[in-house]
Amino acid sequence: PLSPRVPPPTLSATCRSRIAPPLGRELAKRRTPMLARSRTLLRPVASHARRPLCTGGKVSPMKTGTELYMSLYPEASSDSGLRLGNITPDFACETTHGHWSSFHAWKKDKWAILFSHPADFTPVCTTEIGRLALKYDELTDLDCLVATLSVDPVKSHEEWLEDVVAHCENEIEVKFPIIGDADRSISTAYGMIDPATSGEQELPLTIRAVFIINPENKLMLSLNYPACVGRNMDEIVRCVKALQLSYQKSIATPANWPNNHADIPLGDGRTTSFKGSVFLLPTVSDEEAAAHYPGYHTCDVPSKKAYLRLVTEEQVKTAPTN
C-alpha cells in the first residue's frame, strides 16, 4: 500500500478522497474492478477533537443553544457511516471549474451543498441541474456554495451541460462546479454507492443525494432520492434557510415553516400573530430564553409541559448573534 508520505498520483478525471481508516481498509481489501484500476490514494481523516463553532458562521451566542445542541451529535461515527453531525470526508478532485486540492478548503468557513446526480445524459438529472441553476443566485445570497457530482468524468459533464441549458424552459447559466468522480471514491465515502457492488455495474447510479454542510464541515442535513424521482429545489433552499436560522438563533423550525402557526389559541381567544414563528431549541435554558427572547410564548397543552416555546419572526430578527 502507498505510504501517506508518497506524493499523490497525477489526476485526470479521478478524485482522491480522505476517508476514515476502517472504510479505507475495507475498500482496499475488496478491490472492485473499477477501484482496482483507479490510481486513487485513500487517506484517513485526521482525528477531530471537539472544537469551537466557527465565528464566520454567525453562531448564536447562547451557551445552551446551538453550541450545546451541536455537541449532542458525534463528529465521527463508530462504523464509518456518514451521519448527521459528522465531519464530512475531505477530498481532492477534478471539476468543471478546474482542480480542487481540498473540498474543505474550497468551502472554508461557509455553508455548502453537495448535490449528486445519478448520471449525465439522463432525463431527470437534466431537469434538476437546470432548476438548481435557477436557484443558484438565491443560494449565493445566503452565502451558501453549491457543487454537484456524478460518477461521470468532467469531459462528459461539459458536453452534457449544453443539453441542460438547451432543455431548460428558462434562460439559465450553470455557474456552479460539477465534480467528476469517475473512480467513485467520493460517492463511496459519502455512502452514495456500495463499494462491493458498484464496480460490477455497467451504470453505477449514485442516489440523488443532497448534503448540506455547515461552516465547520459538519453534515447538517441529507436527502436521498431514487433515480426515478426528481428533487424540489424550493425545498432545498427552504432547508438551507432553516438550518442557518437555527445555527444563528438557537431555534428550531416547525413543520411547514414558514407557513405555520397561522392561527393558534391564546388566552380566551385565538391569534394570528405567530404565523411563521419558530421554537426555541429544547436545550435552551429558561434563563437564556428569557434573556435573548423576552416575552416568548409557551403553548398550553394537556400535558402542561412547557416545551413548546414559540418566538415570533420579529423576535428572531432582533435576537443577537456573534
Side-chain angles (χ1 to χ4, degrees):
L2 293 173
S3 163
R5 296 182 180 179
V6 175
T10 302
L11 296 173
S12 54
T14 61
C15 304
R16 57 187 172 87
S17 172
R18 302 182 183 95
I19 62 176
L23 182 54
R25 287 196 294 269
E26 185 66 18
L27 289 176
K29 180 176 68 176
R30 293 180 178 180
R31 292 192 182 280
T32 61
M34 175 60 81
L35 288 172
R37 291 194 298 271
S38 168
R39 295 188 295 168
T40 299
L41 175 60
L42 300 178
R43 291 184 178 180
V45 177
S47 60
H48 295 277
R50 189 164 294 281
R51 48 193 166 175
L53 296 177
C54 172
T55 55
K58 298 181 180 178
V59 189
S60 167
M62 301 168 70
K63 293 300 181 184
T64 60
T66 300
E67 183 176 338
L68 178 57
Y69 173 74
M70 285 302 302
S71 73
L72 302 177
Y73 288 91
E75 292 188 347
S77 65
S78 60
D79 59 1
S80 300
L82 182 60
R83 295 186 176 87
L84 297 182
N86 290 176
I87 301 293
T88 55
D90 196 11
F91 54 84
C93 63
E94 298 297 327
T95 82
T96 53
H97 288 191
H99 175 73
W100 290 355
S101 59
S102 166
F103 171 65
H104 287 178
W106 171 75
K107 69 166 291 298
K108 184 179 180 182
D109 294 342
K110 290 183 178 290
W111 289 84
I113 295 172
L114 183 60
F115 182 102
S116 75
H117 65 273
D120 296 347
F121 300 103
T122 55
V124 177
C125 300
T126 299
T127 62
E128 286 190 319
I129 297 301
R131 302 311 296 184
L132 184 60
L134 290 171
K135 292 294 182 183
Y136 179 78
D137 289 342
E138 184 176 359
L139 289 165
T140 298
D141 290 343
L142 295 171
D143 203 23
C144 181
L145 300 175
V146 177
T148 65
L149 170 150
S150 81
V151 297
D152 303 286
V154 170
K155 186 175 186 299
S156 172
H157 294 332
E158 292 170 341
E159 294 171 351
W160 173 55
L161 282 177
E162 295 183 17
D163 290 357
V164 171
V165 173
H167 179 72
C168 189
E169 62 266 30
N170 302 82
E171 186 174 341
I172 63 166
E173 179 183 358
V174 179
K175 301 176 184 178
F176 46 79
I178 306 182
I179 297 166
D181 186 28
D183 71 358
R184 311 174 194 180
S185 58
I186 303 170
S187 301
T188 301
Y190 276 73
M192 291 184 274
I193 55 177
D194 189 320
T197 60
S198 67
E200 303 165 6
Q201 294 175 295
E202 183 177 349
L203 185 61
L205 296 179
T206 58
I207 54 176
R208 296 190 190 283
V210 179
F211 302 97
I212 302 181
I213 303 165
N214 79 2
E216 288 79 48
N217 301 321
K218 294 180 179 180
L219 179 62
M220 299 302 296
L221 179 145
S222 65
L223 299 170
N224 293 333
Y225 284 64
C228 60
V229 179
R231 287 159 285 191
N232 185 312
M233 305 308 153
D234 290 327
E235 173 61 7
I236 292 172
V237 171
R238 188 189 78 94
C239 288
V240 171
K241 291 178 178 179
L243 288 167
Q244 290 184 345
L245 196 63
S246 176
Y247 185 83
Q248 296 166 6
K249 304 289 188 172
S250 292
I251 60 86
T253 55
N256 295 337
W257 176 86
N259 301 309
N260 60 286
H261 289 85
D263 181 32
I264 65 170
L266 183 68
D268 294 330
R270 303 187 69 84
T271 180
T272 59
S273 60
F274 285 92
K275 185 175 190 285
S277 59
V278 295
F279 292 118
L280 292 177
L281 287 173
T283 55
V284 173
S285 68
D286 290 340
E287 292 75 19
E288 282 204 302
H292 290 266
Y293 294 103
Y296 68 87
H297 172 68
T298 301
C299 297
D300 185 26
V301 288
S303 69
K304 301 304 178 185
K305 294 182 178 180
Y307 64 97
L308 295 168
R309 300 177 294 174
L310 280 175
V311 292
T312 64
E313 285 184 288
E314 190 58 36
Q315 286 176 302
V316 172
K317 288 177 183 176
T318 58
T321 56
N322 281 332

